[in-house]
Amino acid sequence: FFHSKSSTMKLFLVSLLLLEACLHAFGSMHHAASEFQLEGEYVLAGLFDIHHVSSAVITHSSLCISYRRFQLMRFSVEEINNSTNLLPNVSLGYDIFDHCSDTHSFPGIFKLLSVDGMIQPWGKAHRNVSKVMAVVGPFTSTQVLTVAPLFMMDLIPMVSYGASTSVFSRKQQFPSFLRTVHPNKDVIEVIVHIIQHFNWRWVAFLNIDDDYGNDGRELFMKRISNTDICMAYTKGLNLYTDHSQLFRQIETQRIGIIIVFAPEWTAEALIESAIQLNVTNKVWIAGHAWSLNKKLPKKKGIKHIGTVIGVSEPKVTIPGFSDFIYSSKNQTHSKNAEQNVFCNQGCNCSSLSAEEILTVDPSFNFPVYSAVYAIAHALHNTLQCESGRCNGNITVYPHMVLAELKKSNFTLLNQSVTFDENGDPNYGSYSIVFWNQIASWCYLTFVLTCLLNNCLVQVPTSLCSQECDVGFAKKQDGIHKCCFNCDICEKGTYINKTEDPYKCINCKKTEWSAPGSTSCNLRVVEYVPFTDSGAIMIMVGAWVLVGLTLAMSALFAINYNTPVVRSAGGPMCFLIFSCLSLCSLSVFFYFGKPTTSSCILRFLPFLLFYTVCLACFVVRSFQIVYIFKMAAKFPKLHSWWMKYHGQWLVITVAFVTQALLLLFGCAFAPPKPYNDTLEYPDKVILACDINLKAFAGPVILLLSLCSLCFIFSYMGKDLPKNYNEAKAITFCLLMLILTWVIFATEYLLYHGKYIQTLNALAVLSSLYSFLLWYFLPKCHIILFQSYKNTQEYFQSLIQNYTIRQ
């Protein structure tokens, strides 16, 4: 399993191991006094992110806020236990965990799902009865998405006090999820009403880059799709966001309205950066997660960033909570309680004073309070409590509590608590908050004129269209809500705003430009110089070929009258050696800056003299096949061939024909240099342009000779071994074909400057194919196997072949 690619599986297994260790430790200790645990007949689970492991720094204020909500659950449970009307004679307990991170929280989640220390999160429903009837929390949407599937399987109710992402309204995915905080769509609706009220059109939307923030952004985009509001800029915020670059972008687009849809720790970092970077004269619209932040309004320089308007949950005073906090902070817990804790059920919050806890941001206090009471009322109805007593004979399962939760209808602090079919609250409202310049809030109703009359002194305006960025051209669009679009100038074009801000101008063929350019740049001219390492190697190879032809010519001249030399072609061998050497001249003209003469000489020597080489091999392969297989049947042809020297006649005709064809091609459409500007936007490749129609004749003649040579040589594949020149010619032709097939493939796939080097290499390989695979074996016999270079040896092979035939 640990080799599994699934990170979820790995996390699951690691958590199981952690849980096993924690359960073992937990089973061996006695229950000491703890803020995280309270014994009861029915237990409520609580998930509160008291610490934030994912944050770079755990701030004192965020610790106080989370700790306050944590204490609210404790207060709510104890208040219910002291009530004679709600759950009479039934004691509620709680088991709360610090949901600081996924890896730290899974052991606690599994403990809640376990029965008698045995983990059975996916056992058969209702086989074992757990005391945990429901879960309060977690706070964030991402935390809920992480743990919710574990509770959904057994329909254990989850009542979140802070997760507002829209996905939780889908009951097919989250059948036992409810929440006491309004979903994001309600917050977005209020924000859009504020923007429309002040006729703002050009806004930025900054959101935390997680499920909560991304959902808010998508809802906002959908909501303004049919309005006059333009979302000019959007950015997902995280720990590594470059705030300096972000604000530069906002300033560039002249955005005056900034919506910040993020939790308090992300918003604090953003606003503090805005103060440090001297961002001024903006309207900040705060989401409900940080609109009641008490730290930021006291920051030095906060008044210079502009106006802050917030959408918040109404501030609800919970009677008796202050006394509970003072009483709780005065209690002292035993040392064992601090030492014998289960995994993440330690707080280290002793340094927090009661005043610090009570004066922090009161957001989401009532959602926590109402979540606990909603579960208690559901349990009350499940136990059929009435007349001061409950039915103790009923075995309560979580799904029964869930059914009653969905039907909730009770009054709490003058609010009627109910849920709709999606598990979203049908109660509560939003308040509009204005941060005035004396570091306090101005609470308003949803009548937005109050905001203008009571709080704002001057309402800023927004522009219909922002000036286009550098490299963008304006494109008039009368239908578009933002008046005109800004289109980036494509590659090969540039924008000159002083001449015409509406037109992208094309660059010259010798110039190039990247997308979004304000001027053109000269292209880089590329060709393969003589000093290139590849060019040097190929030219050295050409000189080696010339040297080998000279050496072989000398060896053949010394052994001219031997059977091996005569069977190889006799005097024809020296013609082939000469033509191969002349062909190698073409290689040297593939390098350096192309000129008209170098372009001609790249093709002319090779096509002309290689034609002679192929004609020689055609004649030689024909002679071998004719002598062994056709002479007896066509005696007159043999006499005519010998009388008029047919082999030299064929070679001469091939040479003259090829020379005329090449002369015709060079006269009407000679190869010439050209600049390839199509393949690369920023380069000019210097190459030679050859007219394929003009040079079709020489190529066809070359291919025809190659085909004839292959046919004749293949016909003689079964001739005597030492007299079988046909096999060697066949092999040489196959190597030749393979060489040019490889080059053709490279030519189709690659169009850079080194295609010239590859072309020269193909020419050189064509020359070596005959030199190495046809003549080199002859040299080996002459030098090292002289016994095969005798008339008697050849005659014996011919006699054996004749007998077999």
Side-chain angles (χ1 to χ4, degrees):
F1 282 106
F2 281 99
H3 293 284
S4 171
K5 293 183 180 180
S6 171
S7 58
T8 305
M9 179 60 72
K10 292 180 180 178
L11 179 61
F12 176 75
L13 291 171
V14 170
S15 301
L16 283 177
L17 293 176
L18 289 172
L19 175 60
E20 183 179 358
C22 291
L23 287 174
H24 183 269
F26 185 75
S28 63
M29 68 183 183
H30 61 85
H31 290 283
S34 170
E35 291 183 297
F36 286 87
Q37 292 175 331
L38 179 68
E39 293 292 335
E41 297 173 65
Y42 299 96
V43 176
L44 305 187
L47 297 175
F48 293 82
D49 51 343
I50 299 174
H51 301 91
H52 301 290
V53 172
S54 59
S55 301
V57 178
I58 301 173
T59 61
H60 191 64
S61 61
S62 63
L63 181 63
C64 288
I65 295 170
S66 302
Y67 187 62
R68 173 179 175 140
R69 296 167 188 158
F70 162 79
Q71 292 290 356
L72 257 171
M73 179 174 176
R74 296 184 62 232
F75 166 75
S76 304
V77 171
E78 294 190 17
E79 187 177 61
I80 292 168
N81 284 339
N82 293 329
S83 171
T84 57
N85 297 321
L86 184 59
L87 291 175
N89 299 320
V90 174
S91 62
L92 280 183
Y94 52 75
D95 205 355
I96 306 176
F97 291 88
D98 182 2
H99 196 270
C100 52
S101 75
D102 291 337
T103 54
H104 286 74
S105 302
F106 265 95
I109 302 301
F110 288 140
K111 177 181 179 292
L112 295 176
L113 294 167
S114 65
V115 179
D116 298 327
M118 299 297 292
I119 302 174
Q120 296 178 337
W122 294 291
K124 291 186 178 180
H126 320 318
R127 175 169 294 182
N128 297 300
V129 181
S130 172
K131 286 187 177 182
V132 175
M133 291 292 104
V135 181
V136 176
F139 176 60
T140 70
S141 298
T142 300
Q143 290 170 344
V144 173
L145 284 169
T146 303
V147 302
L150 299 174
F151 295 102
M152 300 296 110
M153 294 295 292
D154 288 330
L155 295 179
I156 298 176
M158 287 187 70
V159 185
S160 176
Y161 52 87
S164 56
T165 302
S166 302
V167 70
F168 299 123
S169 296
R170 303 173 187 171
K171 293 301 100 179
Q172 298 89 340
Q173 295 176 255
F174 303 93
S176 62
F177 178 87
L178 298 94
R179 53 184 159 196
T180 52
V181 64
H182 285 272
N184 284 340
K185 64 181 181 65
D186 294 345
V187 183
I188 294 299
E189 187 67 30
V190 177
I191 291 175
V192 171
H193 272 76
I194 294 173
I195 296 172
Q196 288 178 326
H197 176 80
F198 293 110
N199 202 29
W200 291 325
R201 295 290 179 266
W202 198 246
V203 303
F205 194 97
L206 307 180
N207 61 280
I208 185 171
D209 191 11
D210 66 3
D211 304 283
Y212 162 74
N214 294 331
D215 178 65
R217 181 187 61 205
E218 291 175 7
L219 289 170
F220 182 76
M221 292 174 63
K222 183 178 180 180
R223 178 61 180 81
I224 67 172
S225 59
N226 295 321
T227 68
D228 293 332
I229 302 170
C230 296
M231 188 163 70
Y233 178 75
T234 182
K235 178 72 175 178
L237 306 175
N238 53 44
L239 291 174
Y240 309 103
T241 300
D242 187 343
H243 292 138
S244 176
Q245 182 181 1
L246 183 151
F247 286 120
R248 279 199 303 269
Q249 185 71 21
I250 289 177
E251 289 297 333
T252 300
Q253 298 191 42
R254 299 180 182 179
I255 302 170
I257 313 300
I258 304 174
I259 303 165
V260 183
F261 204 80
E264 56 188 352
W265 52 86
T266 305
E268 285 178 1
L270 180 72
I271 299 300
E272 288 172 358
S273 296
I275 296 172
Q276 294 174 1
L277 296 170
N278 197 29
V279 178
T280 58
N281 301 323
K282 305 295 181 187
V283 174
W284 305 80
I285 301 179
H288 64 305
W290 68 281
S291 57
L292 296 183
N293 185 285
K294 289 197 174 185
K295 175 183 176 182
L296 289 176
K298 299 176 182 178
K299 280 283 183 181
K300 183 179 180 181
I302 187 69
K303 64 180 181 180
H304 299 299
I305 68 169
T307 302
V308 181
I309 303 171
V311 180
S312 75
E313 297 277 347
K315 184 179 179 181
V316 178
T317 301
I318 299 175
F321 179 61
S322 298
D323 295 336
F324 173 81
I325 292 296
Y326 280 108
S327 174
S328 177
K329 295 306 292 182
N330 290 333
Q331 293 177 2
T332 57
H333 299 281
S334 66
K335 293 184 178 181
N336 288 334
E338 295 296 326
Q339 294 173 356
N340 299 329
V341 294
F342 178 86
C343 293
N344 52 336
Q345 288 186 317
C347 183
N348 297 325
C349 302
S350 57
S351 60
L352 298 178
S353 65
E355 288 75 12
E356 288 178 309
I357 298 172
L358 292 172
T359 56
V360 294
D361 180 357
S363 300
F364 304 98
N365 286 352
F366 185 74
V368 174
Y369 188 65
S370 59
V372 177
Y373 265 87
I375 297 170
H377 276 278
L379 184 59
H380 180 94
N381 295 334
T382 303
L383 292 172
Q384 301 175 359
C385 298
E386 59 182 10
S387 302
R389 57 184 296 180
C390 297
N391 188 349
N393 297 323
I394 298 176
T395 302
V396 180
Y397 296 102
H399 74 94
M400 299 166 64
V401 179
L402 173 64
E404 293 297 331
L405 261 172
K406 293 178 178 180
K407 297 185 290 185
S408 294
N409 189 357
F410 63 93
T411 301
L412 183 66
L413 300 183
N414 297 322
Q415 293 199 49
S416 179
V417 177
T418 59
F419 299 96
D420 64 16
E421 66 276 5
N422 297 320
D424 298 330
N426 273 332
Y427 58 93
S429 61
Y430 282 107
S431 297
I432 308 299
V433 180
F434 172 72
W435 294 17
N436 65 19
Q437 310 214 344
I438 55 173
S440 64
W441 300 314
C442 175
Y443 270 102
L444 303 170
T445 65
F446 194 57
V447 181
L448 294 176
T449 51
C450 292
L451 184 62
L452 179 62
N453 298 332
N454 299 338
C455 297
L456 285 178
V457 177
Q458 181 179 1
V459 179
T461 59
S462 62
L463 298 176
C464 175
S465 301
Q466 295 293 331
E467 188 64 26
C468 292
D469 290 337
V470 175
F472 286 73
K474 294 180 180 179
K475 182 180 179 182
Q476 195 69 36
D477 187 357
I479 300 175
H480 194 272
K481 59 186 177 183
C482 294
C483 300
F484 60 79
N485 295 324
C486 294
D487 292 343
I488 190 169
C489 288
E490 299 177 351
K491 64 179 182 180
T493 65
Y494 70 98
I495 182 73
N496 188 338
K497 290 188 176 181
T498 57
E499 292 182 4
D500 189 353
Y502 292 90
K503 183 180 180 181
C504 294
I505 306 170
N506 293 324
C507 295
K508 298 178 182 178
K509 288 187 176 180
T510 56
E511 298 176 333
W512 74 280
S513 66
S517 297
T518 56
S519 62
C520 293
N521 304 310
L522 287 174
R523 293 175 182 255
V524 178
V525 178
E526 289 191 349
Y527 60 91
V528 182
F530 286 97
T531 54
D532 183 78
S533 57
I536 293 172
M537 292 177 64
I538 290 175
M539 289 187 290
V540 169
W543 282 114
V544 171
L545 183 136
V546 173
L548 288 174
T549 57
L550 291 175
M552 290 182 182
S553 298
L555 183 64
F556 274 44
I558 295 172
N559 297 274
Y560 182 75
N561 293 317
T562 61
V564 169
V565 175
R566 289 166 61 189
S567 69
M572 201 179 295
C573 295
F574 299 98
L575 177 60
I576 296 173
F577 286 142
S578 302
C579 289
L580 289 176
S581 298
L582 291 171
C583 284
S584 66
L585 292 173
S586 295
V587 172
F588 296 91
F589 296 99
Y590 279 93
F591 309 112
K593 191 174 183 179
T595 61
T596 302
S597 58
S598 68
C599 286
I600 294 174
L601 292 174
R602 284 184 183 186
F603 305 102
L604 187 61
F606 176 73
L607 291 174
L608 181 61
F609 295 110
Y610 207 76
T611 300
V612 177
C613 293
L614 284 176
C616 290
F617 284 106
V618 168
V619 169
R620 185 59 191 151
S621 57
F622 171 77
Q623 285 177 327
I624 295 170
V625 173
Y626 181 80
I627 290 171
F628 283 91
K629 295 190 174 185
M630 300 169 62
K633 297 179 181 180
F634 305 98
K636 290 184 179 180
L637 179 60
H638 181 262
S639 61
W640 181 90
W641 183 270
M642 297 301 295
K643 180 179 179 180
Y644 294 101
H645 303 286
Q647 68 271 27
W648 300 111
L649 183 62
V650 171
I651 294 170
T652 303
V653 170
F655 174 79
V656 172
T657 303
Q658 186 69 294
L660 291 174
L661 290 172
L662 288 171
L663 183 62
F664 177 84
C666 290
F668 289 93
K672 57 185 178 181
Y674 89 104
N675 299 335
D676 185 358
T677 59
L678 299 177
E679 297 301 330
Y680 298 94
D682 56 344
K683 298 177 183 178
V684 176
I685 307 296
L686 301 186
C688 290
D689 183 25
I690 182 171
N691 190 310
L692 295 179
K693 292 183 179 179
F695 285 88
V699 174
I700 291 173
L701 177 59
L702 209 62
L703 292 174
S704 301
L705 290 173
C706 186
S707 300
L708 283 173
C709 187
F710 188 87
I711 292 170
F712 290 137
S713 62
Y714 188 79
M715 291 172 63
K717 66 182 185 299
D718 59 343
L719 295 178
K721 183 177 180 182
N722 247 46
Y723 210 84
N724 192 359
E725 315 306 301
K727 278 188 177 180
I729 295 173
T730 303
F731 186 79
C732 293
L733 291 173
L734 289 175
M735 295 300 297
L736 176 66
I737 294 170
L738 180 62
T739 296
W740 288 100
V741 167
I742 293 174
F743 173 74
T745 305
E746 293 170 340
Y747 187 84
L748 292 174
L749 298 177
Y750 172 70
H751 301 280
K753 66 176 182 177
Y754 289 107
I755 197 67
Q756 314 299 332
T757 304
L758 296 174
N759 199 343
L761 183 61
V763 170
L764 195 61
S765 299
S766 302
L767 304 179
Y768 270 106
S769 65
F770 284 122
L771 192 67
L772 296 180
W773 306 115
Y774 184 82
F775 289 107
L776 191 61
K778 317 298 182 189
C779 296
H780 181 266
I781 293 174
I782 294 171
L783 294 174
F784 303 105
Q785 295 179 333
S786 57
Y787 68 92
K788 293 183 180 181
N789 194 14
T790 61
Q791 192 69 29
E792 294 78 14
Y793 185 81
F794 271 74
Q795 287 178 352
S796 65
L797 292 175
I798 295 172
Q799 289 174 359
N800 292 334
Y801 174 78
T802 305
I803 293 171
R804 289 198 306 272
Q805 295 298 317

